[in-house]
Amino acid sequence: MDLARLEKVSANEWRIAAHGAMRVPALIYGSEALLRDMDEKVYEQAVNVAALPGIVGASYAMPDAHWGYGFPIGGVAAFDPDQGGVVSAGGVGFDISCGVRCLHTGLARSDILKVQKELAHELSRAVPAGVGSTGTIRLGEAEMDAMLAGGARWAVERGWGEPADLQRAEEGGQMLHAKPGKVSDKAKRRQRDEMGTLGSGNHYLEVQEVAEIFQPEIAAAFGLRQGDIVLMIHCGSRGLGHQIGTEFLKEMAISAARYGIALPDRELACAPIHSETGQDYLGAMRAAINCALANRQILTQLVRRVFARMLPQARLDLLYDVSHNTCKVEEHGGRKLYVHRKGATRAFGPGHPELPPALREAGQPVLIGGSMGTSSYILAGTHESESRAFSSACHGAGRAMSRHQALRTWQGRAVVEELAARGIVVKSPSMRGVAEEAPLAYKDVAEVVDAADAAGLARKVARTQPLICIKG
């Protein structure tokens, strides 16, 4: 990215002044090195988002930002429904409510090393992964709608977890005001056999060791100590969410003119929040959020069953579950706003009423997944982050090269062998998928997290490193 077009606000904050059709400025967070390596499309897309009706404050891009469909991945924008604000399917993304949940295990590294290969094998057998993967759950019409309305609460009620799990998930594990009736039959068919599956792409299940603690007091509140073993699950709403995004992007593009919206880019298709199209999308999107919450809950229980057999002393309590690709109604500055986060994590600060009582004083856990074979991070929302980008932080490392370029650069088997030499066991049904997700295909997650911390978006609490990776 050409930094000459940006105003440097601080070492990790850059401003694009409002010009042309922009209604607000755009702010990009990150170090000078991160911004220089960002593709020009991030600049272009952040500017285009700033031109959408009813946008409030600014168009934001996180330190892991890269080109996406319409919005940059790592993009954040809030819209006021009383000022003609819009909802955009491109501002949420195709993998609706893709997110991460982190579980304690109560184990140490030595416990894992005794059974590392066997545990990896059993986890890969228990958790279906890969393109088009299907599980053992089959949902009929009534159960599909119940799941889309109930989320993780639906899953727990059917034996997939414990009620305590719901206290440690955004929205208590259930997104209200979902409208299963606005989800197409095709989307439901795509999901009928996919509950309890990991999927493909950058989705994963990892057994990790807490390698470093940065904020001991917050880490203690999160129940984290150096040397602890935790488990992270990264996945979303699978085929259902993708189908909803595909269908509503087309519908919004067609209806934009009818609503008097001049799109700066067709990929930014949107509809007024109060319109029929906008409300239909919000109802379907919330159903997809519930699908993702239910999916991660089922996966949690599948993992618990494996540990119960192989490491019965493990406890697998949920630390937290966060989503990346959402639009949620939140109060900011005394106004109810529709906050789009695409490849960005909500980061509520200490004392926020939506946080569980046990975590409220410390702030919301912000779970940042690394690329395969690299560190992941656990951060915490701060009071400062609430005033920065509508309580938002980064969500991962962010791609540095396309999947096609990664395929031309690496062989999947070589990546697996390289990671094995570093003590990391990788299991995947697709060596092509492993090559696409090679660690160096992504930005340096440590640099991204350091920039988020320095910019005040969230505070570094702990760093984890993988021992086992089940890759989609």
Side-chain angles (χ1 to χ4, degrees):
M1 182 182 296
D2 181 7
L3 300 190
R5 295 191 292 171
L6 284 72
E7 172 195 351
K8 186 175 182 178
V9 180
S10 69
N12 287 281
E13 183 178 350
W14 307 75
R15 185 175 185 271
I16 304 170
H19 61 274
M22 294 173 69
R23 302 167 190 263
V24 295
L27 292 174
I28 304 177
Y29 293 100
S31 65
E32 182 172 330
L34 283 171
L35 263 77
R36 287 193 186 281
D37 287 341
M38 282 185 189
D39 50 82
E40 289 292 335
K41 288 288 285 186
V42 173
Y43 179 100
E44 178 184 327
Q45 291 186 322
V47 166
N48 285 341
V49 171
L52 291 176
I55 189 169
V56 174
S59 162
Y60 300 94
M62 299 294 106
D64 55 339
H66 56 103
W67 173 84
Y69 190 98
F71 276 53
I73 296 170
V76 176
F79 298 87
D80 188 335
D82 297 325
Q83 299 295 323
V86 297
V87 59
S88 171
V92 172
F94 290 98
D95 193 1
I96 297 170
S97 193
C98 179
V100 180
R101 63 170 40 195
C102 181
L103 297 107
H104 299 286
T105 69
L107 301 174
R109 179 188 181 92
S110 58
D111 297 315
I112 299 300
L113 293 183
K114 291 174 185 176
V115 294
Q116 187 179 17
K117 291 184 179 179
E118 295 88 345
L119 180 59
H121 177 69
E122 291 302 316
L123 287 171
S124 68
R125 289 184 61 200
V127 177
V131 177
S133 53
T134 59
T136 60
I137 299 171
R138 303 287 184 270
L139 297 184
E141 184 176 345
E143 275 297 275
M144 175 66 71
D145 285 354
M147 179 273 291
L148 294 176
R153 190 172 299 277
W154 166 89
V156 169
E157 289 172 353
R158 282 149 182 81
W160 298 99
E162 304 295 332
D165 295 336
L166 303 176
Q167 299 171 18
R168 295 297 188 104
E170 286 186 3
E171 321 303 334
Q174 179 186 20
M175 191 75 194
L176 300 179
H177 309 299
K179 298 178 181 178
K182 298 302 179 182
V183 178
S184 70
D185 290 340
K186 184 174 182 179
K188 292 176 181 178
R189 283 197 304 271
R190 290 187 64 176
Q191 195 63 26
R192 185 165 293 136
D193 301 332
E194 290 192 348
M195 297 305 297
T197 64
L198 199 59
S200 60
N202 63 352
H203 295 170
Y204 61 78
L205 182 158
E206 283 192 352
V207 178
Q208 305 169 344
E209 179 185 9
V210 178
E212 195 171 2
I213 296 291
F214 304 104
Q215 297 287 337
E217 289 188 9
I218 300 177
F222 288 177
L224 298 169
R225 298 175 304 173
Q226 189 166 338
D228 283 353
I229 297 296
V230 297
L231 188 139
M232 285 194 186
I233 299 172
H234 177 205
C235 68
S237 51
R238 302 287 280 113
L240 180 136
H242 195 283
Q243 189 64 35
I244 289 171
T246 299
E247 292 171 354
F248 275 95
L249 275 166
K250 292 179 181 177
E251 184 173 340
M252 288 177 174
I254 293 170
S255 65
R258 185 168 75 247
Y259 294 123
I261 298 173
L263 296 174
D265 179 354
R266 183 178 172 83
E267 291 183 0
L268 281 175
C270 57
I273 291 166
H274 289 317
S275 70
E276 181 180 359
T277 302
Q279 288 298 305
D280 286 352
Y281 172 72
L282 287 167
M285 181 210 66
R286 290 165 181 156
I289 291 176
N290 282 332
C291 176
L293 290 168
N295 193 36
R296 289 195 289 273
Q297 184 64 48
I298 294 169
L299 289 171
T300 297
Q301 204 64 7
L302 292 174
V303 168
R304 283 171 172 160
R305 292 175 182 176
V306 173
F307 274 78
R309 293 197 310 270
M310 300 195 65
L311 293 161
Q313 70 272 34
R315 66 172 194 262
L316 276 89
D317 299 326
L318 183 60
L319 166 58
Y320 207 61
D321 181 298
V322 298
S323 294
H324 303 323
N325 299 338
T326 60
C327 174
K328 292 184 177 181
V329 183
E330 298 169 10
E331 185 171 325
H332 293 278
R335 288 192 286 181
K336 293 286 187 182
L337 302 176
Y338 285 69
V339 183
H340 294 62
R341 296 185 180 92
K342 180 180 181 178
T345 307
R346 191 161 73 179
F348 284 152
H352 198 284
E354 290 195 35
L355 295 178
L359 300 173
R360 195 167 294 159
E361 188 175 341
Q364 181 203 305
V366 177
L367 308 176
I368 307 299
S371 56
M372 183 176 55
T374 68
S375 295
S376 294
Y377 287 80
I378 298 169
L379 289 74
T382 68
H383 290 302
E384 187 179 6
S385 69
E386 294 183 353
S387 63
R388 288 286 181 183
F390 299 109
S391 298
S392 305
C394 54
H395 86 304
R399 290 198 74 93
M401 65 172 63
S402 70
R403 287 186 165 86
H404 290 301
Q405 188 177 353
L407 280 173
R408 291 194 298 267
T409 307
W410 292 285
Q411 295 292 324
R413 178 55 57 188
V415 173
V416 170
E417 291 173 354
E418 178 188 342
L419 294 177
R422 291 167 43 198
I424 304 168
V425 177
V426 176
K427 302 288 276 188
S428 175
S430 169
M431 287 301 102
R432 176 189 175 94
V434 170
E436 290 178 345
E437 297 299 314
L440 293 179
Y442 284 80
K443 301 174 186 179
D444 183 345
V445 67
E447 189 175 1
V448 168
V449 167
D450 285 346
D453 183 283
L457 299 175
R459 179 178 299 164
K460 283 196 306 184
V461 176
R463 177 178 67 85
T464 67
Q465 56 189 25
L467 295 172
I468 295 172
C469 178
I470 311 301
K471 195 70 181 172

